[in-house]
């Protein structure tokens, strides 16, 4: 019987996917595919499912066809024949996702025209996700040959040049595909007919627009009323308040009144760079006190990904009142404290009851600035992202903060976070932060994580750098701070001074901890060998201390005395007497006025959008005529029977002849004449004998010979084309009279 991994395809798929995600997973999965024939097909499907280049596909050509067998991306030496496509057609069926990056120079552009000679229509017929990163217009045109009907995710990352064929490619893709995910990242403005081309894509669930013109009112109206939109990603960097407000200009408010634009302008937002910059006159109190009506639309939106300044993000999120479950923010680091507090208040107010995942990371500009600062001799700038003003987020399950400069957290932040997010399961607070010796240790102590282990009973993962020191007696004596759910702890570049006391503290806070990680790579920036050795000792000692801690608690629970309840004896029987007491109830009349508080609220119900679609079906008709007239040939046959009447005398002629039977001594001649003259006496004597001989001769010789001759005469007489043989003429058939026969003696 086959093992479970072969009997359940879903289990096999999950295990193979887990192997691929491990370091060196593709090599391991390739060896496994070559080892077991039963796992060959599932392993090949996982290996070829996601490709980050076209090089593996090109490498399927025969080595004699490649310019260099070890470098398939250089192209082909000649056009492939029909038999050279067998492996590509076989393995191309397995590919589900592929990425083409022109800047990597891994594939020669000259190979794409040769790929168009494929025997079938598409080289990757089951492709579902296509990512196209190009810098030139010629490379963009090659993506059309991979737009099979199965493509659901289309992602473009374009260079700074103009792409004249972008409109044609987008129009062709929208006519042929039903997209679920669409992404366009470009430093060039969106096409003028962008929303018109994508208006037919009603099945879009994720939209990513990072380009000038993405905040226009037309794009906002199109995005807001996508019926299945679940994820939206926009870039608010270097945008003015006017451009951000313009995104919602054509959307009605929930009160039924349309909200006018903040600045009277007819600009659609596509060329928003020409607007007046009001960032210099923007006042923080105005942003905080001026409330915006939430806009209609975005009914199915659950995930928002925004990039830009904190102030711009706060203005954008003020227009939403939908229950977001996931919020990803890419901000400029370090943010302004007042703007950050305002953003925190908006998130708690608008999405506090629904938000489940919140991620905060830094823009590429902030990371690059921090990298330049760390490589120079300048002192690192370390700021703080305050969390003590965070409002309750009861539904939050995951919080991730990864900033290069705002890396310091204090005990007040942890205390506020523990009370505001009681259902937190995963917490990451700048786990990649570095704390060199000249800047000092982290401000957060290890024992100050105790509020999280005490109040967040579902917390299973913590990733935060700390300063690990000896724990205070108040923490070690409290049993409430011990967490049963914490399984993973990542301390990064944390400081440590006494590994034994740190191990004791960890065993108290997380007695069931399974994984303790830290940065121990010597080539990693910020590595301090002393701290790495200290955490290594703590990791080796922790399992033993945990076992002691757990056994002590079990012993303590077993040693708790069970209270003994003494049973009292039953009471003695007492003599009783029946007595009657008249009990009159006193009534008090009291009235309570219950006046319900009513609130009039109006709901604007807009009629459903009706789309009239007609499909014109013309069956293809082909007229074919078949000549079914039989060929008739008239042939005339003459069937005239030639007939001739002839009479045949069948009366035998008798001749009376007397023959002398005496042997003659003298020869004499006897002539039989028809004159009928009388003979001699000897003739009359021999007449009976001669009659007998004549009769015998006629029956046995004359008649058998004359009858066939007469029949031949009749047959040849009716056939004029056959030459009659001589002697068979009409005169030759006449009967010969016996009277004409002369008999000579």
């Amino acid at each position: 019987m086959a093992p479970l991994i072969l009997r359940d395809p879903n289990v096999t798929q999950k295990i193979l996917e887990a192997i691929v995600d491990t370091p060196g997973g593709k090599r391991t999965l390739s060896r496994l595919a070559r080892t077991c024939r039963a796992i060959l097909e599932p392993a090949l499907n996982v290996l070829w499912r996601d490709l980050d280049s076209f090089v593996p596909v090109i490498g399927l050509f025969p080595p004699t066809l490649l310019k260099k067998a070890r470098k398939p991306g250089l192209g082909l030496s000649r056009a492939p024949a029909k038999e050279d496509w067998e492996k590509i057609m076989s393995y191309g069926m397995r590919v589900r996702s592929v990425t083409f990056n022109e800047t990597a120079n891994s594939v020669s552009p000259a190979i794409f025209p040769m790929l168009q000679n494929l025997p079938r229509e598409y080289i990757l017929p089951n492709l579902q996700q296509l990512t196209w990163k190009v810098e030139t217009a010629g490379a963009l045109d090659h993506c059309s040959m991979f737009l099979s009907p199965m493509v659901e995710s289309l992602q473009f990352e374009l260079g700074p040049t103009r792409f004249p064929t972008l409109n044609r490619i987008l129009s062709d893709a929208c006519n042929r595909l039903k997209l679920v995910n669409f992404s366009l990242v470009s430093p060039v403005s969106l096409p003028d007919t962008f929303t018109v081309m994508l208006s037919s894509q009603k099945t879009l669930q994720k939209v990513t627009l990072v380009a000038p013109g993405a905040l226009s009112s037309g794009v906002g109206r199109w995005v807001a009323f996508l019926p299945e939109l679940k994820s939206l990603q926009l870039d608010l960097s270097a945008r003015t308040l006017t451009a951000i407000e313009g995104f919602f200009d054509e959307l009605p408010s929930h009160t039924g009144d349309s909200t006018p634009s903040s600045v009277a302008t007819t600009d659609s937002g596509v060329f928003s760079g020409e607007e007046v910059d009001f960032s210099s006159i923007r006042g923080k109190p105005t942003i905080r006190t001026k409330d915006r009506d939430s806009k209609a639309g975005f009914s199915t939106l659950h995930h928002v990904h925004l990039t830009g300044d904190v102030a711009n993000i706060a203005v954008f999120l003020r227009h939403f009142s939908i229950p977001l479950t996931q919020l990803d923010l890419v901000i400029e680091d370090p943010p302004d404290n007042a703007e950050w507090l305002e953003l925190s208040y908006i998130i708690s107010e608008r999405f506090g009851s629904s938000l489940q995942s919140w991620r905060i990371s830094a823009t590429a500009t902030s990371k690059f600035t921090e990298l330049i600062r760390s490589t120079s001799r300048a002192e690192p700038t370390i700021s703080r992202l305050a969390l003590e003003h965070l409002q309750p987020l009861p539904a939050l399950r995951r919080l991730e903060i990864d900033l290069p400069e705002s890396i310091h957290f204090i005990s007040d932040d942890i205390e506020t976070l523990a009370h505001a997010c009681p259902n937190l399961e995963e917490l990451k607070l700048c786990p990649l932060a570095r704390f060199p010796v000249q800047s000092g240790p982290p401000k957060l102590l290890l024992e100050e994580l105790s509020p999280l282990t005490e109040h967040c009973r579902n917390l299973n993962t913590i990733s935060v750098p700390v300063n690990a020191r000896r724990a205070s007696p108040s923490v070690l004596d409290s049993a409430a701070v011990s967490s049963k759910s914490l399984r993973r702890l990542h301390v990064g570049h944390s400081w440590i001074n006494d590994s034994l006391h740190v191990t004791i503290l960890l065993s108290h806070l997380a007695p069931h901890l399974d994984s303790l990680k830290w940065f121990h790579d010597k080539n990693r920036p910020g590595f301090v060998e002393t701290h790495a050795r200290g955490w290594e000792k703590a990791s080796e000692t922790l399992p033993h201390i945990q076992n002691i801690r757990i056994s002590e608690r079990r012993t303590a629970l077993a040693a708790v005395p069970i209270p003994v309840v003494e049973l009292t004896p039953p009471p003695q029987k007492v003599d009783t007497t029946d007595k009657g007491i008249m009990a009159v109830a006193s009534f008090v009349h009291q009235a309570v006025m219950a006046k319900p508080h009513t609130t009039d609220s109006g709901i604007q119900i807009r009629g459903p959008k009706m789309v009239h679609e007609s499909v014109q079906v013309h069956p293809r008709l082909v007229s074919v005529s078949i000549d079914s007239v039989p060929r008739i040939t008239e042939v005339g046959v003459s069937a005239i029977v030639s007939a001739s009447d002839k009479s045949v005398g069948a009366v035998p002629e008798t001749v009376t002849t007397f023959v002398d039977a005496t042997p003659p001594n003298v020869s004499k001649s006897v002539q039989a004449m028809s004159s009928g003259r009388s003979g001699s006496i000897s003739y009359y004597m021999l007449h009976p004998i001669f009659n007998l001989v004549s009769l015998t001769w006629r029956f046995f010789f004359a008649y058998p010979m004359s009858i066939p001759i007469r029949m031949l005469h009749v047959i040849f007489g009716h056939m004029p084309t056959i030459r009659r043989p001589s002697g068979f003429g009409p005169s030759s058939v006449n009967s010969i009279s016996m009277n004409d026969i002369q008999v000579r003696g």
Side-chain angles (χ1 to χ4, degrees):
M1 182 179 293
L4 180 62
I5 187 175
L6 301 179
R7 282 181 283 166
D8 194 339
N10 295 330
V11 175
T12 306
Q13 183 76 10
K14 296 297 181 182
I15 293 177
L16 296 179
E17 290 177 357
I19 294 175
V20 159
D21 295 337
T22 58
K26 290 188 176 181
R27 185 185 300 272
T28 303
L29 199 59
S30 177
R31 292 172 178 173
L32 183 62
R34 295 193 297 266
T35 302
C36 181
R37 182 174 297 179
I39 310 180
L40 175 62
E41 289 298 323
L44 289 178
N45 291 335
V46 175
L47 281 173
W48 286 85
R49 182 186 58 184
D50 301 321
L51 300 181
D52 55 1
S53 175
F54 284 99
V55 174
V57 179
I58 302 172
L60 296 174
F61 281 111
T64 56
L65 192 61
L66 301 173
K67 291 183 178 179
K68 287 188 177 181
R70 295 183 178 272
K71 295 182 179 180
L74 296 180
L76 307 178
S77 58
R78 58 179 176 82
K82 185 177 181 180
E83 59 273 9
D84 299 332
W85 295 94
E86 294 181 358
K87 285 188 176 181
I88 292 183
M89 290 191 296
S90 175
Y91 285 86
M93 303 288 292
R94 309 176 190 270
V95 181
R96 298 295 185 271
S97 173
V98 68
T99 301
F100 173 70
N101 190 356
E102 185 184 10
T103 58
N105 294 326
S106 59
V107 177
S108 174
I111 200 171
F112 289 103
M114 293 186 178
L115 295 179
Q116 294 180 352
N117 299 326
L118 184 72
R120 63 188 179 198
E121 187 175 1
Y122 298 104
I123 187 172
L124 306 176
N126 296 324
L127 188 66
Q128 296 178 357
Q129 181 177 351
L130 178 63
T131 303
W132 210 257
K133 302 178 182 180
V134 294
E135 299 288 336
T136 60
L140 179 63
D141 297 339
H142 297 317
C143 73
S144 299
M145 61 185 299
F146 300 99
L147 297 179
S148 63
M150 298 294 292
V151 174
E152 297 179 351
S153 177
L154 186 59
Q155 302 178 15
F156 290 109
E157 294 188 16
L158 308 180
T161 59
R162 291 280 181 178
F163 292 88
T165 60
L166 180 60
N167 288 351
R168 178 181 58 81
I169 293 176
L170 287 179
S171 178
D172 181 41
C174 293
N175 292 333
R176 295 162 56 183
L177 309 177
K178 288 186 178 181
L179 297 176
V180 177
N181 179 15
F182 178 76
S183 175
L184 180 59
V185 180
S186 173
V188 185
S189 299
L190 295 178
D192 296 336
T193 59
F194 176 75
T195 56
V196 177
M197 289 185 293
L198 273 77
S199 60
S200 60
Q201 299 298 321
K202 302 297 183 181
T203 59
L204 281 174
Q205 298 181 8
K206 182 178 180 181
V207 175
T208 301
L209 297 177
V210 183
L215 297 179
S216 63
S217 58
V219 174
R221 182 182 66 254
W222 168 68
V223 170
F225 294 102
L226 285 175
E228 299 183 12
L229 183 65
K230 294 180 175 60
S231 178
L232 176 63
Q233 180 177 351
L234 295 174
D235 187 7
L236 309 180
S237 302
R239 299 294 190 268
T240 62
L241 290 179
T242 304
I244 297 174
E245 293 286 349
F247 185 79
F248 302 93
D249 279 350
E250 298 186 14
L251 299 181
S253 61
H254 282 291
T255 59
D257 301 329
S258 60
T259 303
S261 178
S262 58
V263 177
T265 178
T266 58
D267 188 7
S268 62
V270 176
F271 305 100
S272 57
E274 301 175 0
E275 298 176 356
V276 180
D277 188 4
F278 291 93
S279 60
S280 60
I281 60 176
R282 183 180 63 200
K284 299 182 181 64
T286 304
I287 299 176
R288 289 194 297 270
T289 59
K290 188 176 181 180
D291 192 12
R292 303 287 182 184
D293 294 333
S294 59
K295 301 296 183 177
F298 306 101
S299 57
T300 59
L301 188 63
H302 298 302
H303 174 214
V304 174
H305 188 290
L306 300 176
T307 303
D309 296 333
V310 173
N312 291 346
I313 295 175
V315 173
F316 189 88
L317 291 179
R318 279 187 178 275
H319 293 279
F320 286 94
S321 63
I322 55 178
L324 291 181
T325 59
Q326 185 176 354
L327 182 61
D328 294 345
L329 304 180
V330 183
I331 63 175
E332 298 289 344
D333 187 43
D336 183 76
N337 290 331
E339 296 174 350
W340 166 250
L341 292 179
E342 180 189 3
L343 178 61
S344 302
Y345 174 76
I346 293 175
I347 293 175
S348 301
E349 178 189 13
R350 301 273 179 170
F351 322 113
S353 60
S354 61
L355 191 61
Q356 299 179 6
S357 176
W358 187 9
R359 301 179 182 179
I360 302 175
S361 58
T363 59
T365 305
S366 301
K367 293 181 180 179
F368 181 75
T369 305
E370 192 272 338
L371 179 62
I372 296 297
R373 188 184 296 111
S374 63
T375 54
S376 63
R377 295 184 179 182
E379 292 292 334
T381 302
I382 299 177
S383 58
R384 175 172 171 266
L385 190 69
L387 298 178
E388 66 267 16
H389 300 286
L390 193 65
Q391 300 299 316
L393 298 170
L396 192 63
R397 301 287 189 274
R398 184 174 185 178
L399 176 60
E400 296 184 14
I401 300 177
D402 186 10
L403 299 175
E405 297 186 15
S406 303
I407 58 177
H408 273 306
F409 298 93
I410 60 177
S411 59
D412 293 341
D413 298 332
I414 301 300
E415 186 74 25
T416 304
L417 191 61
H419 289 86
C421 309
N423 295 318
L424 199 63
E425 297 178 359
E426 184 175 355
L427 176 63
K428 294 183 179 180
L429 300 177
C430 300
L432 305 179
R434 293 173 294 174
F435 298 89
V437 178
Q438 59 271 20
S439 63
K443 295 183 179 181
L444 184 64
L445 301 179
L446 179 59
E447 65 176 6
E448 292 176 348
L449 297 178
S450 58
L452 293 173
T453 59
E454 180 180 359
H455 298 284
C456 302
R457 309 309 298 179
N458 298 327
L459 186 62
N460 56 67
T461 303
I462 297 179
S463 300
V464 55
V466 295
N467 185 12
R469 294 182 179 180
R470 183 191 295 264
S472 60
S474 60
V475 175
L476 294 176
D477 295 339
S478 175
V481 298
S482 182
S483 174
K484 296 182 179 180
S485 61
L486 188 58
R487 293 291 188 273
R488 291 171 290 276
L489 178 63
H490 194 296
V491 294
H493 290 291
S494 296
W495 287 34
I496 185 173
N497 54 7
D498 192 339
S499 59
L500 180 59
H501 287 86
V502 171
T503 305
I504 295 174
L505 177 57
L506 286 176
S507 66
H508 179 66
L509 294 177
H512 302 282
L513 191 67
D514 297 332
S515 174
L516 176 61
K517 294 183 179 180
W518 67 96
F519 291 139
H520 50 78
D521 190 0
K522 295 183 179 181
N523 297 326
R524 189 181 184 89
F527 171 78
V528 180
E529 186 175 0
T530 304
H531 301 317
R533 289 182 178 179
W535 286 110
E536 184 178 0
K537 293 180 180 179
S539 176
E540 294 174 355
T541 313
L542 182 60
H544 307 287
I545 303 299
Q546 283 178 332
N547 293 334
I548 296 174
R549 181 79 65 180
I550 293 175
S551 62
E552 288 178 350
R553 292 181 179 179
R554 290 176 181 175
T555 305
L557 291 176
V560 174
I562 300 175
V564 179
V565 180
E566 296 181 359
L567 298 178
T568 58
Q572 298 179 358
K573 187 177 181 181
V574 181
D575 297 335
T576 58
T577 305
D578 296 334
K579 291 183 179 181
I581 299 175
M582 183 178 182
V584 179
S586 58
F587 298 94
V588 177
H589 297 281
Q590 185 176 359
V592 179
M593 182 178 181
K595 184 178 181 180
H597 295 280
T598 59
T599 303
D600 296 332
S601 60
I603 301 176
Q604 181 184 7
I605 300 177
R606 302 182 63 184
K609 291 186 176 180
M610 306 298 292
V611 178
H612 297 281
E613 295 183 0
S614 60
V615 179
Q616 186 175 6
V617 180
H618 289 285
R620 296 182 179 179
L621 302 178
V622 179
S623 300
V624 178
S625 60
I626 300 175
D627 188 6
S628 60
V629 179
R631 295 182 179 179
I632 299 175
T633 304
E634 296 182 357
V635 178
V637 179
S638 177
I640 300 174
V641 181
S642 58
S644 59
D645 297 333
K646 290 186 178 181
S647 59
V648 177
V651 178
E653 295 181 1
T654 59
V655 176
T656 303
T657 305
F658 296 97
V659 179
D660 189 4
T662 303
N665 295 323
V666 181
S667 61
K668 60 174 80 173
S669 62
V670 180
Q671 185 176 5
M673 304 294 294
S674 59
S675 58
R677 62 177 177 264
S678 59
S680 61
I681 299 173
S682 60
Y683 174 78
Y684 289 103
M685 291 177 65
L686 296 175
H687 180 70
I689 298 172
F690 283 114
N691 288 337
L692 181 61
V693 173
S694 175
L695 181 61
T696 303
W697 182 85
R698 289 180 179 177
F699 275 99
F700 290 97
F701 294 98
Y703 288 155
M705 292 179 62
S706 63
I707 292 175
I709 291 174
R710 291 176 180 269
M711 292 177 66
L712 289 176
H713 172 71
V714 173
I715 292 172
F716 287 104
H718 293 82
M719 297 178 63
T721 57
I722 301 177
R723 186 176 179 181
R724 295 173 183 176
S726 60
F728 286 86
S731 59
S732 64
V733 187
N734 294 335
S735 61
I736 302 175
S737 177
M738 292 297 296
N739 298 323
D740 297 334
I741 299 176
Q742 295 178 3
V743 178
R744 293 181 183 181

